Each structure stands twice: as structure tokens, then as C-alpha cells.
Amino acid sequence: MTPVSFLGLVLCRRLAVEHQDILRKVKDFRIQSAVCTLEADREVVEGNVAAFIQCLGLASQDDSAEHALEIFNSLVRERVPGALQHSLGRLGLRYRTVAAMSCVFLLRPFDTVNAYLHGERPFSSIAGEVVGSWTIGLAIIPLAVAGILCIASDKPDRKFGWSAFTAMLLLKHAVLVVLVFGSWYACNLSIRRARRHRSWCALSAVIVVVLAAATAYVYLRPSRQPVQWNSMTRLSSRLREREGQQADQDVAKESDGHAAEHDRVNV
């Protein structure tokens, strides 16, 4: 498992580089500096964006297109980072993604169920296998992945080499491996003892609860840049109001046209 964990560290550093590069580009976003496939279309695209901002009421019709584009840039810098973290997770991977990768452990209890149905294992072994396997798949492995992602995000642009930085990185990785295997061993040991002695059930439950709480804290705690759903809702409301006003204007124009045509017929 240690070589696999180290390989995961190397791959996660590449993921961290891409993740931080995306956040950096969003933080410094300017539509004027964005790459346009056809440079001749830039004026049209920027004009549409400026018209969209004016349509939302974030800029008046008298404002210049450059001013409207700066408002759009501010919106992107303010709201997109939170949306990215909501989509990708604070660490670059969401809990559901990591849990899906370790779902193979959730199927292990079915072997015990089959053995129980054939009279080869007691019923208590099923409960122990379910708790142990699901704790590994839903808590221990996600915590290990979170630890690797956290270690990998430390200056991901720096290369491995004979340096103090690499030594510290490997030391952190070694400590993480010890903690992961220690958690796994303590969980399995307490569950095995709990099958034989009821006095171990409380300790086993405490270990499982602590691991579950740690997983929830790491993956589910609020992001530093929460998604501003209220602001996005207000923008959508403004757009719907604008569409409604435009529809009313179209209906009014159509009614005026019919009225004028009717007057000409009467004359």
C-alpha cells in the first residue's frame, strides 16, 4: 500500500497544480485577455457580454462597453471561485468521488452473508464485517485521500529532488501512512474484540464515530468561498423581469400595430 500511496501523492501533485492554476486564472480573470478562437469575433463576443450585463441592470445603457466588461470581470472573480470549490471540493476531489473509488470495500460483507447462509459463520460476524468494511470504504480511505491531497497541495509547482522540501514532503507522507494503517488496525482490532467481549463494543463505536466525524469535517465543512446562491438568484430574477418587460413591450407594440391597421381599415 505504501508504494501505491506514494504514486497517489505524485499524481495528486499534478492534480493540485491544475486545481491551483484554475483558481489563479479565475482570480485574475479578464475577458479582454481571454483567448478567442477567431480574433475577428472578439468584438462581437464582448459586445454580447456587455449587452447581457446591461440587460441585467448591472450597468446602464449609457455606460460604455468597457465599463460593462469590467463589471462582468468582477462578477466572475467574485462568484466563480466559490462555484468551482462547490463543484470540485476544497481539496480538488469531492467526497462522493472518493467514496465511489473505494466502494469495493462496501461489497465485502456479502461474502460473510454467503458464509452465514451456509452455516459457516455466526450472525455477529456479519455486523462486524459491515461496520469494518464500511468504515474503511467511507471513512478511512477518504481520510487518506484527503491527507494525500492536502500534502500534495503544498507548493505543487516545486519538483521532487534532493532538497529539504522533498524530505519534509516524504516525512509528512510517512506520518500519514502510519496514521492510516493505525486507524485501520485499531478499527479492525476493536471490532474483532467486540465480537467476543461486549465490553469492547463501546470502544469500537467510539473509533467508528471519531473516524466518521473526521471525514465529515474534512469533506463537508463550509468552503472559505461559499457559492453566493442569493446573488445568482437575484441575477436570474432580474433576467426574468427583463424578459417579462420585453415581452410586455412586444405585446404592446403588436397591439398598437393592430389598432393602427384597424383605424386605417375604418377610414
Side-chain angles (χ1 to χ4, degrees):
M1 288 296 292
T2 302
V4 175
S5 178
F6 181 76
L7 178 61
L9 177 63
V10 175
L11 296 177
C12 285
R13 283 185 66 80
R14 295 184 179 181
L15 177 64
V17 170
E18 296 178 359
H19 189 222
Q20 292 191 3
D21 185 57
I22 292 174
L23 295 179
R24 179 184 56 79
K25 289 180 179 179
V26 172
K27 182 180 179 180
D28 301 330
F29 176 81
R30 290 187 77 252
I31 189 174
Q32 295 90 334
S33 303
V35 177
C36 193
T37 304
L38 294 177
E39 193 62 30
D41 294 339
R42 179 178 296 276
E43 184 177 354
V44 177
V45 173
E46 292 182 354
N48 289 336
V49 172
F52 177 72
I53 293 297
Q54 293 172 348
C55 180
L56 290 176
L58 300 177
S60 66
Q61 299 294 332
D62 298 331
D63 292 334
S64 63
E66 190 67 22
H67 178 69
L69 292 178
E70 289 300 329
I71 294 177
F72 177 75
N73 293 336
S74 299
L75 285 175
V76 172
R77 296 169 192 157
E78 179 184 356
R79 298 183 176 120
V80 172
L84 284 175
Q85 289 193 1
H86 179 77
S87 175
L88 302 176
R90 294 181 304 101
L91 301 173
L93 288 176
R94 300 188 68 181
Y95 175 75
R96 65 182 65 178
T97 304
V98 179
M101 292 189 296
S102 59
C103 66
V104 62
F105 290 95
L106 307 183
L107 304 178
R108 288 176 55 185
F110 287 100
D111 293 335
T112 307
V113 172
N114 182 57
Y116 167 75
L117 294 177
H118 286 80
E120 299 175 0
R121 300 283 292 274
F123 179 78
S124 59
S125 63
I126 298 178
E129 190 68 31
V130 169
V131 174
S133 299
W134 285 36
T135 302
I136 293 174
L138 299 179
I140 295 178
I141 290 182
L143 284 175
V145 173
I148 292 176
L149 289 171
C150 184
I151 295 173
S153 63
D154 183 15
K155 301 177 182 178
D157 54 326
R158 295 189 60 174
K159 304 295 183 181
F160 285 111
W162 298 100
S163 62
F165 172 75
T166 302
M168 182 59 65
L169 206 66
L170 295 178
L171 177 61
K172 293 179 181 179
H173 177 259
V175 172
L176 175 65
V177 171
V178 171
L179 290 176
V180 170
F181 277 99
S183 301
W184 172 78
Y185 179 77
C187 181
N188 282 344
L189 178 63
S190 62
I191 291 175
R192 286 199 302 267
R193 294 292 178 85
R195 294 176 186 173
R196 303 173 184 176
H197 307 285
R198 294 294 179 88
S199 58
W200 282 79
C201 291
L203 178 60
S204 177
V206 168
I207 293 175
V208 172
V209 169
V210 169
L211 291 173
T215 305
Y217 175 77
V218 169
Y219 284 96
L220 304 181
R221 64 174 174 169
S223 171
R224 293 180 181 178
Q225 294 179 321
V227 183
Q228 301 183 11
W229 297 113
N230 293 334
S231 300
M232 300 304 293
T233 302
R234 287 197 296 269
L235 290 178
S236 300
S237 300
R238 289 181 182 178
L239 185 58
R240 286 195 297 269
E241 291 176 1
R242 191 72 176 182
E243 291 176 349
Q245 294 174 0
Q246 186 64 37
D248 293 339
Q249 292 176 1
D250 293 340
V251 171
K253 290 180 180 179
E254 185 177 357
S255 299
D256 293 341
H258 287 310
E261 183 178 357
H262 180 70
D263 293 339
R264 286 196 300 269
V265 171
N266 291 335
V267 172

